[in-house]
Amino acid sequence: VELIEHMRQDDLLGTVPVVVVSTEGSKTRIDSLIEKGVRAYIRKPFTPEKVKAVVDELLGGAAHER
């Protein structure tokens, strides 16, 4: 959380999308992170397909496929 707060105060780092990967899944915690600027939340355990879907969504999808 502290890292996210510091990133949001920086002009360049403030534009970097942040994805949190965690075992914690409480709605209160996720809502708090999103309020701080987290763009996505992936709960463990996860699949590679889930990570790809989140990254594609954040970065614009098919433009990043190979």
Side-chain angles (χ1 to χ4, degrees), residues 34-55:
I34 290 178
E35 285 177 17
K36 293 186 183 303
V38 169
R39 297 281 304 276
Y41 186 92
I42 300 174
R43 188 162 182 217
K44 293 178 183 179
F46 57 87
T47 64
E49 294 80 14
K50 175 65 177 175
V51 174
K52 182 182 183 316
V54 169
V55 170

